[in-house]
Amino acid sequence: MVQGDPSATFNNPMSSNTLFHAGILGWLIVLICDIVVAWSFYIFLKPFNKNLSLLAAWLRLAYASILGIAILNLIFVLILMNSMDYFSLFKMNQLQAYVELLLEAFNMIWSMGLIIFGGYLMIVGYLAFKSDIIPKVVSILLLMASISYIIIHLCYTFLPQYDGITTMLESILSVPMSLGELGFGIWLLFKGGKVPKSV
């Protein structure tokens, strides 16, 4: 998206149609992976607290559902761009504005979903902190990541007039967000499969 320039926003996916298709496919793969992760994390975290791990799984599925709704907007853009009928039905500036609206809707809906994702991470971070096997530094980073997601996306969703401040805040908070998720992922790869069944 090129803010304030519907023509450039419209021309970008039009001139990179294959890339735009690949982007949608990538988002669909992410969506499927989110569903698998919701199930696998429930299984992994269930020994620590069955009810909280179930709640975390439902929050992850809720986030995935919202992401799916957001992806629909990208598919609508694809339909608009691939049908010559719409080019004859709408004036070009109307079509450009509609495409920009759909892309903005994708960003807004996904951002709302990331607030729920932050809640999911908070539960995972809490369960990690309460466990005796997951390093405390990883659990603290997860909790920091969850708070960062919630703050940033509440600001994007409900305080759009402070977009510049939110962007600056995101650049700072992206560090704990990345370290928390990446650190937990690396720990799971090397140590997670070795967790005793008795925990």
Side-chain angles (χ1 to χ4, degrees), residues 1-194:
M1 284 189 66
V2 181
Q3 289 295 333
D5 193 343
S7 176
T9 298
F10 179 80
N11 289 329
N12 282 339
M14 281 290 286
S15 60
S16 307
N17 203 276
T18 305
L19 190 59
F20 194 70
H21 276 84
I24 293 172
L25 177 62
W27 279 114
L28 291 172
I29 291 168
V30 168
L31 179 62
I32 292 165
C33 289
D34 273 316
I35 294 166
V36 172
V37 167
W39 167 76
S40 60
F41 269 32
Y42 168 69
I43 299 297
F44 178 75
L45 295 170
K46 187 167 70 167
F48 305 126
N49 188 309
K50 184 178 179 181
N51 291 332
L52 281 178
S53 63
L54 184 60
L55 177 59
W58 278 113
L59 285 175
R60 185 80 185 230
L61 288 174
Y63 159 72
S65 301
I66 293 169
L67 176 60
I69 293 167
I71 293 168
L72 281 175
N73 288 283
L74 300 180
I75 294 169
F76 294 150
V77 169
L78 201 61
I79 292 168
L80 276 174
M81 291 188 314
N82 288 342
S83 175
M84 293 309 294
D85 293 340
Y86 294 110
F87 285 87
S88 59
L89 285 172
F90 295 104
K91 292 178 182 175
M92 184 52 74
N93 63 339
Q94 292 174 325
L95 198 57
Q96 290 170 351
Y98 194 45
V99 165
E100 188 175 43
L101 175 68
L102 289 169
L103 291 174
E104 192 63 52
F106 167 79
N107 285 332
M108 179 67 77
I109 294 167
W110 183 37
S111 191
M112 288 177 183
L114 286 170
I115 297 168
I116 294 171
F117 182 79
Y120 153 80
L121 269 186
M122 189 172 286
I123 295 171
V124 172
Y126 173 78
L127 289 175
F129 188 79
K130 286 292 185 181
S131 78
D132 294 326
I133 57 166
I134 301 170
K136 293 294 182 229
V137 67
V138 170
S139 59
I140 290 167
L141 284 170
L142 278 172
L143 288 167
M144 288 173 65
S146 73
I147 293 165
S148 300
Y149 269 108
I150 292 168
I151 290 171
I152 288 167
H153 292 286
L154 278 172
C155 289
Y156 273 133
T157 304
F158 299 107
L159 300 169
Q161 66 271 30
Y162 301 112
D163 191 45
I165 296 169
T166 306
T167 302
M168 185 180 67
L169 192 63
E170 184 176 23
S171 65
I172 296 166
L173 294 178
S174 62
V175 175
M177 288 160 69
S178 302
L179 288 176
E181 292 184 82
L182 189 61
F184 191 46
I186 291 170
W187 182 84
L188 284 169
L189 278 174
F190 292 101
K191 297 284 188 180
K194 300 178 178 122

